[in-house]
Amino acid sequence: MALAGIVTGTKAPDFELKDNHGRTVRLSDFRGEKNVVLLFYPFAFTGVCTGELCALRDELPKFVNDDTQLLAISNDSMHTLRVFAEQEGLEYPLLSDFWPHGEVSRAYEVFDEEKGCSVRGTFIIDKEGVVRWTVVNGLPDARDLNEYIEALDTL
């Protein structure tokens, strides 16, 4: 079963999750302030996920700046995400969609019920809270960062 994610032009579902430091992060906190790159990934410490998140780390000024905030979400616990961020030098928020398990992933229609985790869904949300660009890849398929950069440039 292929998951498609929510469609462009729709209002992004708001959420409140804890980051890898235990801080509460709400999507609505960025409304009117920043575009948000919302990136769902299956699990910390796995090969493709680590590669993707480190590639973002290496291009961080393009994704965390005065106009844009990167938020990465997995179904891992906050404690797992803290260790993962420290090990990989990730300086952007890693949000835990651990409990209720996958609630935000389900809201964005990227939760794989059989695997018990989200697939690779990316949503670019504008300052008004509207989804402007999206791509959803299967578990083994890494995403192309240049596509995000091009999409952000159109906002």
Side-chain angles (χ1 to χ4, degrees), residues 24 32 37 52 56 59 67 71 152 155:
T24 299
V37 177
E52 284 188 315
L56 286 163
E59 298 288 333
D67 257 351
L71 300 174
L152 279 169
L155 295 182

Side-chain angles (χ1 to χ4, degrees), residues 12-126:
D14 197 14
F15 58 80
E16 180 178 305
L17 293 173
K18 296 281 188 200
D19 74 4
N20 46 306
H21 300 289
R23 294 178 293 230
T24 299
V25 176
R26 290 175 199 82
L27 180 62
S28 55
D29 290 346
F30 301 100
R31 195 147 307 135
E33 303 289 322
K34 291 186 176 196
N35 301 309
V36 174
V37 177
L38 192 59
L39 179 121
F40 289 88
Y41 62 101
F43 293 113
F45 298 107
T46 57
V48 176
C49 296
T50 301
E52 284 188 315
L53 294 171
C54 289
L56 286 163
R57 173 198 66 202
D58 296 344
E59 298 288 333
L60 201 55
K62 293 178 178 150
F63 299 103
V64 178
N65 53 53
D66 290 343
D67 257 351
T68 306
Q69 179 63 52
L70 170 64
L71 300 174
I73 299 177
S74 77
N75 306 117
D76 296 296
S77 75
M78 177 184 74
H79 309 290
T80 300
L81 295 176
R82 182 177 305 134
V83 174
F84 181 54
E86 287 171 8
Q87 179 178 305
E88 300 299 335
L90 305 176
E91 310 252 326
Y92 50 89
L94 302 183
L95 306 180
S96 173
D97 189 17
F98 183 70
W99 199 257
H101 189 71
E103 184 176 64
V104 176
S105 306
R106 283 184 181 92
Y108 280 81
E109 300 177 15
V110 293
F111 190 79
D112 185 327
E113 296 289 343
E114 280 183 26
K115 301 270 194 275
C117 66
S118 63
V119 296
R120 296 177 198 289
T122 306
F123 301 90
I124 294 184
I125 302 162
D126 70 13

